[in-house]
Amino acid sequence: MTTHIVATSMDIAGLIMGFFAFEACVGMYFPMIGTMRSKYLPDSHRSVIMSLYAIPLNVLVVSVFLFAGRLGTAGAFAVTTVALAAATICMILLRRRRSQEARRNLKRLGSAFRKTYYAKAFSNKARPRTRITNSSMIEVVKSMRMSVAY
């Protein structure tokens, strides 16, 4: 018995568009993961950490291949979907944590800026009634960098 698969041009167009979307996602993944690795993993421990994270991934891939007969195509795609959903959730949590840290750092910078500006610009304890100009802000930020760097 011979099975013939007939595909319409609409099926092929959808398949090609899906392939292009997949390739675009994979093309964005590698530069982004490289940037994240360099940002979050110290150079001295990067290879060890990446090797440890590769173990569960390899176990997942090998188990899907071993049970491909039982899982079928739909089961393999279900496992892939669950893994991608877990990665998406982790990325959202990481982004949320990063934005909270950024807000905290901005508050710290603002309070440090005010303390430094008022300490340098005014010798008395009274709060000044003058406006802070861009040039004075740049001056204070430069002095803050100098005090942090040295």
Side-chain angles (χ1 to χ4, degrees):
M1 180 164 55
T2 307
T3 305
H4 297 284
I5 298 175
V6 179
T8 63
S9 62
M10 292 299 287
D11 293 337
I12 293 174
L15 186 64
I16 290 173
M17 292 307 292
F19 174 73
F20 286 153
F22 174 77
E23 286 297 320
C25 291
V26 169
M28 289 185 286
Y29 168 79
F30 286 108
M32 287 191 300
I33 201 68
T35 302
M36 286 176 50
R37 279 183 198 151
S38 65
K39 185 175 184 178
Y40 294 112
L41 299 178
D43 290 337
S44 59
H45 302 330
R46 189 175 301 160
S47 62
V48 174
I49 292 171
M50 292 310 298
S51 297
L52 290 176
Y53 277 112
I55 292 170
L57 177 64
N58 290 332
V59 168
L60 180 68
V61 169
V62 169
S63 62
V64 167
F65 277 131
L66 288 176
F67 296 109
R70 290 187 205 166
L71 288 173
T73 305
F77 280 123
V79 170
T80 305
T81 302
V82 169
L84 287 174
T88 302
I89 290 169
C90 290
M91 192 64 204
I92 290 169
L93 293 174
L94 183 64
R95 179 176 253 179
R96 196 175 288 162
R97 183 175 177 187
R98 186 181 70 184
S99 66
Q100 289 171 351
E101 288 176 5
R103 281 189 219 111
R104 267 184 288 185
N105 291 338
L106 188 60
K107 286 180 185 177
R108 287 182 194 152
L109 181 65
S111 65
F113 174 78
R114 283 190 295 276
K115 287 177 187 175
T116 306
Y117 177 76
Y118 293 135
K120 287 191 179 219
F122 302 95
S123 59
N124 61 358
K125 301 290 183 187
R127 210 168 164 90
R129 296 182 184 191
T130 58
R131 287 180 43 179
I132 299 174
T133 62
N134 285 341
S135 61
S136 62
M137 286 174 30
I138 291 170
E139 209 173 285
V140 171
V141 169
K142 284 182 182 176
S143 68
M144 287 171 57
R145 282 188 199 155
M146 296 300 275
S147 65
V148 170
Y150 297 108

